[in-house]
Short mmCIF file of all heavy atoms in Angstrom, two decimals:
data_model
loop_
_atom_site.label_atom_id
_atom_site.label_comp_id
_atom_site.label_asym_id
_atom_site.label_seq_id
_atom_site.Cartn_x
_atom_site.Cartn_y
_atom_site.Cartn_z
N LEU B 34 -6.73 16.09 19.67
CA LEU B 34 -5.64 15.55 20.40
C LEU B 34 -6.11 14.57 21.46
O LEU B 34 -5.49 13.52 21.71
CB LEU B 34 -4.81 16.72 21.17
CG LEU B 34 -4.00 17.57 20.24
CD1 LEU B 34 -3.44 18.75 21.08
CD2 LEU B 34 -2.80 16.73 19.72
N LYS B 35 -7.11 14.94 22.10
CA LYS B 35 -7.70 14.13 23.21
C LYS B 35 -8.09 12.68 22.71
O LYS B 35 -7.76 11.73 23.36
CB LYS B 35 -8.95 14.81 23.80
CG LYS B 35 -9.19 14.53 25.21
CD LYS B 35 -10.21 15.48 25.66
CE LYS B 35 -10.31 15.48 27.17
NZ LYS B 35 -11.11 16.48 27.71
N ARG B 36 -8.74 12.65 21.54
CA ARG B 36 -9.08 11.39 21.02
C ARG B 36 -7.84 10.52 20.63
O ARG B 36 -7.83 9.37 20.93
CB ARG B 36 -9.91 11.61 19.73
CG ARG B 36 -11.31 12.16 19.94
CD ARG B 36 -12.15 11.97 18.64
NE ARG B 36 -12.28 10.56 18.28
CZ ARG B 36 -13.23 9.75 18.91
NH1 ARG B 36 -14.00 10.23 19.81
NH2 ARG B 36 -13.33 8.49 18.52
N ARG B 37 -6.83 11.22 20.09
CA ARG B 37 -5.67 10.48 19.65
C ARG B 37 -4.88 10.01 20.91
O ARG B 37 -4.36 8.85 20.93
CB ARG B 37 -4.69 11.39 18.85
CG ARG B 37 -5.43 12.05 17.64
CD ARG B 37 -6.10 11.08 16.75
NE ARG B 37 -5.17 10.20 16.07
CZ ARG B 37 -5.56 9.17 15.25
NH1 ARG B 37 -6.80 8.96 15.03
NH2 ARG B 37 -4.65 8.45 14.65
N ILE B 38 -4.79 10.84 21.95
CA ILE B 38 -4.04 10.40 23.13
C ILE B 38 -4.83 9.33 23.93
O ILE B 38 -4.24 8.36 24.29
CB ILE B 38 -3.84 11.68 24.00
CG1 ILE B 38 -2.81 12.67 23.34
CG2 ILE B 38 -3.33 11.32 25.43
CD1 ILE B 38 -2.73 14.01 23.96
N SER B 39 -6.13 9.44 24.01
CA SER B 39 -6.92 8.46 24.65
C SER B 39 -6.76 7.13 23.98
O SER B 39 -6.72 6.04 24.59
CB SER B 39 -8.41 8.83 24.66
OG SER B 39 -8.58 10.03 25.28
N ARG B 40 -6.72 7.14 22.65
CA ARG B 40 -6.59 5.88 21.86
C ARG B 40 -5.22 5.19 22.24
O ARG B 40 -5.22 4.02 22.46
CB ARG B 40 -6.54 6.33 20.36
CG ARG B 40 -6.46 5.18 19.42
CD ARG B 40 -6.72 5.66 17.97
NE ARG B 40 -6.30 4.68 16.99
CZ ARG B 40 -5.09 4.71 16.43
NH1 ARG B 40 -4.18 5.53 16.82
NH2 ARG B 40 -4.77 3.76 15.57
N ARG B 41 -4.13 5.98 22.29
CA ARG B 41 -2.86 5.37 22.66
C ARG B 41 -2.89 4.89 24.13
O ARG B 41 -2.36 3.76 24.42
CB ARG B 41 -1.77 6.45 22.45
CG ARG B 41 -0.35 5.94 22.80
CD ARG B 41 0.07 4.67 22.24
NE ARG B 41 -0.06 4.55 20.82
CZ ARG B 41 0.09 3.37 20.09
NH1 ARG B 41 0.22 2.20 20.76
NH2 ARG B 41 -0.04 3.38 18.78
N GLN B 42 -3.53 5.63 24.97
CA GLN B 42 -3.66 5.23 26.40
C GLN B 42 -4.37 3.87 26.49
O GLN B 42 -3.88 3.02 27.28
CB GLN B 42 -4.43 6.30 27.10
CG GLN B 42 -4.52 6.05 28.63
CD GLN B 42 -5.38 7.05 29.38
OE1 GLN B 42 -5.89 7.97 28.82
NE2 GLN B 42 -5.55 6.80 30.72
N LEU B 43 -5.37 3.71 25.76
CA LEU B 43 -6.16 2.43 25.70
C LEU B 43 -5.34 1.32 25.15
O LEU B 43 -5.26 0.24 25.69
CB LEU B 43 -7.41 2.66 24.88
CG LEU B 43 -8.67 1.92 25.30
CD1 LEU B 43 -9.17 2.41 26.62
CD2 LEU B 43 -9.73 2.13 24.19
N LEU B 44 -4.69 1.52 24.01
CA LEU B 44 -3.93 0.47 23.34
C LEU B 44 -2.78 -0.03 24.22
O LEU B 44 -2.47 -1.19 24.23
CB LEU B 44 -3.35 1.07 22.02
CG LEU B 44 -4.40 1.19 20.82
CD1 LEU B 44 -3.69 1.88 19.67
CD2 LEU B 44 -4.89 -0.14 20.42
N ASP B 45 -2.08 0.92 24.91
CA ASP B 45 -0.94 0.58 25.71
C ASP B 45 -1.22 0.41 27.17
O ASP B 45 -0.25 0.29 27.96
CB ASP B 45 0.21 1.54 25.46
CG ASP B 45 0.80 1.40 24.06
OD1 ASP B 45 0.38 0.54 23.31
OD2 ASP B 45 1.76 2.13 23.82
N ASN B 46 -2.51 0.43 27.53
CA ASN B 46 -2.86 0.23 28.90
C ASN B 46 -2.30 1.14 29.94
O ASN B 46 -1.85 0.76 31.06
CB ASN B 46 -2.58 -1.24 29.36
CG ASN B 46 -3.59 -2.21 28.87
OD1 ASN B 46 -4.75 -1.91 28.86
ND2 ASN B 46 -3.15 -3.32 28.28
N PHE B 47 -2.21 2.41 29.63
CA PHE B 47 -1.68 3.35 30.58
C PHE B 47 -2.80 3.69 31.57
O PHE B 47 -3.94 3.87 31.17
CB PHE B 47 -1.24 4.68 29.96
CG PHE B 47 0.08 4.59 29.20
CD1 PHE B 47 0.11 4.58 27.81
CD2 PHE B 47 1.25 4.50 29.91
CE1 PHE B 47 1.30 4.51 27.12
CE2 PHE B 47 2.44 4.42 29.20
CZ PHE B 47 2.41 4.42 27.84
N THR B 48 -2.46 3.68 32.88
CA THR B 48 -3.55 4.00 33.88
C THR B 48 -3.90 5.56 33.81
O THR B 48 -5.00 5.86 34.23
CB THR B 48 -3.14 3.63 35.26
OG1 THR B 48 -1.82 4.18 35.54
CG2 THR B 48 -2.98 2.12 35.35
N SER B 49 -2.92 6.38 33.43
CA SER B 49 -3.24 7.83 33.37
C SER B 49 -2.43 8.42 32.23
O SER B 49 -1.43 7.88 31.73
CB SER B 49 -2.87 8.49 34.66
OG SER B 49 -1.50 8.52 34.78
N ILE B 50 -2.80 9.59 31.85
CA ILE B 50 -2.06 10.37 30.84
C ILE B 50 -0.67 10.81 31.38
O ILE B 50 0.33 10.81 30.66
CB ILE B 50 -2.88 11.55 30.29
CG1 ILE B 50 -4.06 11.06 29.54
CG2 ILE B 50 -2.05 12.47 29.42
CD1 ILE B 50 -5.16 12.10 29.21
N SER B 51 -0.68 11.11 32.70
CA SER B 51 0.66 11.41 33.29
C SER B 51 1.66 10.27 33.18
O SER B 51 2.83 10.50 32.91
CB SER B 51 0.43 11.81 34.76
OG SER B 51 -0.44 12.85 34.90
N GLU B 52 1.17 9.04 33.27
CA GLU B 52 2.05 7.96 33.12
C GLU B 52 2.62 7.89 31.72
O GLU B 52 3.82 7.59 31.50
CB GLU B 52 1.23 6.60 33.44
CG GLU B 52 2.13 5.38 33.56
CD GLU B 52 1.25 4.11 33.62
OE1 GLU B 52 0.09 4.15 34.04
OE2 GLU B 52 1.83 3.08 33.35
N MET B 53 1.82 8.26 30.77
CA MET B 53 2.23 8.29 29.33
C MET B 53 3.27 9.42 29.17
O MET B 53 4.25 9.26 28.45
CB MET B 53 1.02 8.56 28.43
CG MET B 53 1.23 8.04 27.08
SD MET B 53 -0.09 8.63 25.93
CE MET B 53 -1.54 8.00 26.74
N THR B 54 3.07 10.52 29.85
CA THR B 54 4.02 11.64 29.82
C THR B 54 5.40 11.18 30.28
O THR B 54 6.43 11.45 29.68
CB THR B 54 3.54 12.83 30.64
OG1 THR B 54 2.14 13.13 30.24
CG2 THR B 54 4.43 14.05 30.44
N HIS B 55 5.41 10.49 31.42
CA HIS B 55 6.61 10.00 31.97
C HIS B 55 7.32 9.11 31.02
O HIS B 55 8.56 9.21 30.71
CB HIS B 55 6.33 9.23 33.32
CG HIS B 55 7.56 8.73 33.95
ND1 HIS B 55 8.08 7.48 33.70
CD2 HIS B 55 8.43 9.32 34.80
CE1 HIS B 55 9.13 7.23 34.44
NE2 HIS B 55 9.41 8.37 35.11
N ARG B 56 6.58 8.18 30.32
CA ARG B 56 7.15 7.25 29.45
C ARG B 56 7.78 7.97 28.22
O ARG B 56 8.82 7.62 27.78
CB ARG B 56 6.01 6.27 28.98
CG ARG B 56 6.35 5.35 27.95
CD ARG B 56 7.13 4.16 28.40
NE ARG B 56 7.37 3.17 27.36
CZ ARG B 56 6.60 2.21 26.98
NH1 ARG B 56 5.39 2.07 27.65
NH2 ARG B 56 6.83 1.42 26.00
N LEU B 57 7.09 8.96 27.68
CA LEU B 57 7.56 9.53 26.46
C LEU B 57 8.81 10.41 26.64
O LEU B 57 9.67 10.53 25.83
CB LEU B 57 6.45 10.46 25.84
CG LEU B 57 6.08 11.80 26.28
CD1 LEU B 57 6.97 12.90 25.72
CD2 LEU B 57 4.67 12.12 25.94
#
Side-chain angles (χ1 to χ4, degrees):
Chain B
L34 285 174
K35 210 167 190 171
R36 290 193 61 81
R37 307 306 291 176
I38 291 166
S39 301
R40 183 170 164 271
R41 179 49 57 194
Q42 187 184 353
L43 213 67
L44 285 173
D45 286 2
N46 282 317
F47 286 106
T48 52
S49 71
I50 292 168
S51 300
E52 193 190 335
M53 206 189 303
T54 306
H55 181 267
R56 175 81 176 273
L57 79 87

